[in-house]
């Protein structure tokens, strides 16, 4: 048997042979499979040398090629128990790589870990500590706490540092270990002869979870901040103070000077950055050090002489933190570098500089900055281009378009953004076009003009990212067709052959808008016209100015309709003859575009374009095409002579005329925005029982295939609204009872109704219009804009901001961050640490009154007193904590006896300790930590 083992080890391939063989293979799969078969045979050998080499090769394959090695767990334990260090090293590496907290054989290594932790060989103890830091679970942490406690005061610095590092996992897995080991950990932090590198790293991690528990240790951290010369230690202690300073303002005032000295003295960029980040995070109230930090940012991280992209990114990131904390002046001082960074090769730098540029946007410079960014987007790659466009859209629409004064300009900007060849923000542009159209009545003519320019361009139909934008443009054009320059041109754009490239839901909106245009043209052609001649002088000053602006805006093009022209009809009969005695006079129809020929050509074009769609497989398209063709058939059947403009129709009634009248009345109803909270504000009627479980709907609506919510289109929703409004018109006209009910509903729920006035004035419930400033006059250089816009005194009010309908303050959907639930072990750990740091006197007195206060753990006695651990068979004698902690505690007690207020606090802590650990933890969370006066 021994001979076979020798032969196996003699011909066994080593790890070097395995690596060389893998590199020579074209396809590695077959070679790895053969190697695994060889490893499985070798690892069963009784020779520990052969077994360890096989395990070493298996560990390599697991780390590089993710080969499963769970099946070899027991062999890993065998190699770990070898007496030779080289074999033990392979076993511990394999265990750290393949074991986890749920591994079955992990219970078998407890004694082996304890043996190696107590070994006189510091490297064996180091292997055990490294393995425990990776695979340690609750059982291992509980059983090995005494050994780790001993190693925390080891004379060998190599072992002591590793023990300090592993104590973090022990605390997380077994919070009760804090009672035994925490003070020994503090001794490593403040010991003069010990390097605090590992200890400060542990406290840095602990403070990230619950910094308030570690405020009593501020004197120790402050001493390290002042005395330490190790940059790595200073970086860690600065991270600790960035968590503690917001909790204690006196502490923030104390650390300002040491941090300033480090910033002036150090030449290390890493330490400089950590000092700056600490200042901008929690010391922004101190102007002197804040200005020093901004100066160091410019000199060390934003210098043109330094081409390191990492430093540039860090500098921009710090400026971003300052900008978010209302210190925009720091960004403005470095605006040249920020704007220059938009063209940097590093994408991270470009994204960070873009965020800073958007931070500088205000009411006065929004036009110039967005103009520059739109130009930069045209020259950028598609990814950064869409990042720029998305930032523009998000910033301008924030807080219901607060920074926008000139909405005509902004709507034109949306049109320009839509034509960007890389633009993929169609969904957001669609939402904003419809939203602005609903909210801002004065900008609707400009929106219709922009929509017309988009619809008449057939090249845009082939771009899939434009479909959502075209859908919004079509809806706006159909909803406000009375503002269109040429309805016949719009109809041709809606029915052009290339619309077959559109998705069915978008095409359905095209057909629905064509339906609205058709109704408007027929109504305009057949209905009577009268001009309301109201002298401008008879109007109020505000109404007069508004009427003059509207008249000027509509008189720019001859093809615009007069907005003060009203088309009226008495019931369902129209009279072309208007009495001369009335206050209105007949309008001249010499330039009327609605002629017999134009109407006839439009009807033929509609039948030719929509005729094939009446049999479409898409329900949305088929239904809307049928509605349009049905209206044309009805008008042609019942009114064959109506298309000839001769004679009078007084006294005659036609079903087609009634339908056309109802449709026009329904389409002329103005839509408005709806608050997100409107549904919640509607009171539930008395006697209405709402079931929480809607499973019965499956039986009632089992034959109906409900459309997914994501497939609902704007067109389908608007069509349903129009259809409902038509039914409401039909049912409410002949019934006075329904009219009274509607009035009663408006009276009770007036908050959800928009104003019925036609002059664009909002309801009194809406907030007043803000007088905002205009763009900066004569700004040529973009670099000067941010500095000018920051000064609010330089703003001018040359343009009145239009009324923007805003329903309530809570209109925007709340963005709630996902908060991770706090682990119960973290609560227990924080409570235990607070008991140690805040309950020194209580612990001391309770240990005197209950000297036998111990707890049994697996046959060993572990004292619950934080300052004393009794002797056991495995531990031997353990020395008491250092006298520095004791003297520090005595000084605290002497100070506390001089204050009557702290005596009562001392009694409360003593009482809570007797009531149990959970009660103590709850009380400690309420109490505020006390920092000694010699620091503050």
């Amino acid at each position: 048997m021994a001979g076979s083992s020798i032969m196996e080890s003699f011909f066994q391939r080593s790890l070097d042979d395995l690596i060389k063989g893998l590199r020579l293979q074209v396809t590695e799969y077959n070679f790895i499979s053969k190697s695994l078969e060889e490893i499985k045979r070798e690892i069963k050998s009784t020779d520990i040398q052969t077994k360890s080499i096989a395990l070493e090769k298996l560990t390599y394959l697991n780390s590089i090629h993710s080969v499963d090695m769970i099946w070899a767990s027991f062999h890993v334990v065998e190699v770990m128990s070898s007496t030779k260090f080289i074999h033990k090293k392979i076993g511990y590496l394999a265990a750290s790589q393949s074991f986890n907290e749920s591994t079955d054989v992990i219970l078998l290594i407890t004694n082996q870990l304890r043996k190696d932790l107590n070994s006189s060989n510091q490297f064996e103890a180091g292997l055990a500590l490294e393995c425990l830091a990776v695979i340690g679970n609750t059982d291992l942490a509980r059983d090995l706490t005494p050994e780790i406690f001993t190693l925390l005061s080891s004379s060998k610095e190599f072992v002591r540092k590793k023990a300090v590092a592993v104590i973090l996992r022990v605390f997380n897995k077994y919070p009760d270990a804090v009672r035994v080991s925490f003070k020994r950990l503090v001794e490593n932090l403040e010991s003069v002869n010990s390097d605090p590198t590992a200890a400060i790293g542990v406290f840095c991690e602990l403070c990230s979870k619950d910094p308030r528990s570690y405020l009593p240790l501020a004197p120790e951290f402050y001493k390290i901040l002042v005395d330490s010369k190790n940059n790595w230690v200073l970086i860690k202690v600065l991270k600790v103070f960035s968590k503690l300073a917001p909790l204690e303002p006196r502490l923030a005032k104390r650390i300002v000077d040491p941090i300033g000295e480090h910033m002036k003295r150090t030449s290390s960029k890493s330490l400089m950055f950590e000092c700056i980040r600490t200042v901008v995070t929690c010391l922004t109230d101190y102007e002197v050090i804040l200005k020093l930090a901004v100066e160091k940012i410019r000199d060390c991280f934003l210098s043109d002489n330094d081409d390191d992209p990492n430093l540039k990114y860090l500098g921009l990131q710090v400026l971003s933190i300052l900008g978010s904390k209302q210190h925009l002046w720091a960004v403005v001082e470095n605006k040249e570098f920020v704007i220059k960074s938009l063209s940097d090769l590093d994408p991270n730098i470009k994204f960070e500089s873009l965020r800073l540029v958007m931070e500088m946007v205000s009411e006065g410079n929004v036009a110039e900055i967005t103009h520059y960014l739109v130009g930069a987007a045209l020259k950028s790659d598609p990814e950064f281009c869409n990042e720029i466009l998305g930032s523009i859209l998000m910033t301008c629409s924030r807080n219901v378009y607060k920074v926008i004064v000139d909405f005509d300009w902004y709507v034109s900007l949306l049109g320009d953004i839509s034509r960007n060849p890389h633009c993929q923000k169609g969904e957001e542009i669609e939402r904003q076009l419809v939203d602005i159209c609903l909210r801002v009545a004065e900008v609707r003519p400009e929106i219709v003009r922009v929509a017309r320019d988009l619809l008449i361009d057939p090249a845009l139909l082939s771009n899939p990212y434009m479909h959502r934008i075209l859908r919004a443009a079509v809806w706006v054009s159909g909803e406000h067709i009375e503002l269109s320059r040429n309805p016949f041109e719009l109809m041709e754009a809606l029915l052009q052959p290339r619309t077959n490239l559109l998705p069915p839901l978008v095409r359905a909106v095209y057909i629905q808008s064509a339906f609205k245009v058709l109704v408007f043209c027929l109504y305009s052609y057949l209905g009577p016209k009268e001009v309301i001649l109201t002298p401008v002088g008879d109007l109020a000053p505000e109404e007069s100015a508004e009427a003059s602006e509207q008249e000027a805006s509509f008189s720019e093009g001859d093809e615009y309709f007069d907005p003060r022209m009203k088309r009226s009809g008495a019931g369902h009969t129209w009279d072309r003859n208007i009495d001369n005695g009335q206050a209105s006079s007949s309008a001249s129809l010499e330039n009327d575009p609605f002629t017999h020929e134009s109407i006839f050509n439009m009807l033929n074009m509609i039948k030719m374009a929509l005729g094939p769609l009446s049999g479409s497989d898409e329900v949305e398209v088929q239904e809307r095409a049928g509605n349009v063709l049905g209206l044309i058939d009805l008008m042609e059947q019942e009114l064959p002579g109506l298309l000839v403009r001769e004679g009078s129709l007084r006294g005659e009634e036609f079903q087609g005329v009634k339908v056309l009248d109802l449709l026009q009345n329904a389409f002329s109803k103005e839509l408005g925005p709806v608050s997100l909270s409107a549904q919640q504000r509607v009171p539930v009627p008395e006697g209405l029982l709402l079931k929480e479980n809607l499973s019965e709907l499956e039986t009632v609506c089992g034959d109906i295939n409900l459309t997914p919510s994501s497939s609902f289109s704007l067109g389908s929703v608007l069509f349903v609204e129009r259809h409902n409004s038509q039914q409401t018109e039909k049912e409410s006209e002949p019934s006075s009872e329904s009219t009274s009910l509607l009035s009663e509903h408006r009276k009770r729920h007036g908050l959800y109704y928009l104003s019925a006035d036609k002059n664009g004035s909002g309801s009194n419930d809406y907030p007043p219009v803000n007088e905002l400033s205009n763009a900066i006059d004569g700004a040529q250089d973009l670099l000067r804009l941010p500095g000018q816009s920051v000064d609010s005194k330089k703003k001018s009010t040359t343009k009145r901001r239009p009324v923007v309908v805003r329903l309530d303050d809570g209109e925007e959907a709340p963005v709630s961050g996902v908060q991770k639930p706090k682990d119960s072990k973290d609560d227990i750990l924080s409570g235990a640490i607070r008991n140690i740091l805040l309950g020194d006197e209580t612990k001391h007195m309770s240990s005197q009154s209950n000297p036998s206060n111990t707890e049994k753990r697996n046959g060993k006695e572990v004292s619950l007193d934080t300052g004393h651990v009794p002797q056991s068979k495995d531990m031997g004698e353990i020395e008491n904590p250092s006298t520095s902690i004791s003297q520090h505690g005595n000084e605290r007690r002497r100070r506390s006896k001089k204050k009557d207020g702290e005596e009562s606090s001392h009694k409360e802590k003593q009482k809570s300790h007797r009531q149990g650990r959970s009660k103590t933890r709850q009380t400690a969370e309420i109490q505020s930590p006390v920092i000694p006066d010699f620091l503050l």
Side-chain angles (χ1 to χ4, degrees), residues 784-799:
R784 298 205 310 267
L785 295 176
Q788 296 176 357
S789 62
V790 171
D791 189 2
S792 60
K793 298 181 181 179
K794 297 182 180 180
K795 294 181 180 179
S796 60
T797 57
T798 59
K799 184 177 180 64

Side-chain angles (χ1 to χ4, degrees), residues 85 88-90 92-93 96 113 116 122-132 158 162:
F85 178 78
K88 190 184 294 292
K89 182 178 180 180
I90 296 173
Y92 273 110
L93 175 61
S96 301
L113 287 172
D116 291 334
Q122 62 176 355
F123 299 108
E124 290 184 356
L127 288 177
L129 289 171
E130 291 173 2
C131 182
L132 182 61
F158 176 81
K162 291 183 179 293

Side-chain angles (χ1 to χ4, degrees), residues 17-28 31:
D17 299 332
L18 177 65
I19 296 174
K20 292 177 181 178
L22 280 171
R23 292 177 177 176
L24 294 176
Q25 302 300 319
V26 178
T27 57
E28 299 176 344
F31 183 80

Side-chain angles (χ1 to χ4, degrees), residues 126-141:
L127 288 177
L129 289 171
E130 291 173 2
C131 182
L132 182 61
V134 176
I135 68 172
N137 57 11
T138 303
D139 295 332
L140 289 178

Side-chain angles (χ1 to χ4, degrees), residues 36 40 58 61-63 65-73 98:
L36 279 177
K40 289 181 180 180
L58 180 61
L61 293 177
N62 174 262
S63 61
H65 300 281
S66 302
V67 174
D68 182 32
M69 60 178 299
I70 298 298
W71 55 271
S73 299
S98 61

Side-chain angles (χ1 to χ4, degrees), residues 482 531-532 551 554 560-566:
E482 70 277 2
V531 179
I532 308 300
E551 185 176 3
F554 280 99
Y560 270 129
F561 301 111
D562 190 347
R564 290 178 291 170
M565 178 180 289
K566 295 185 179 180

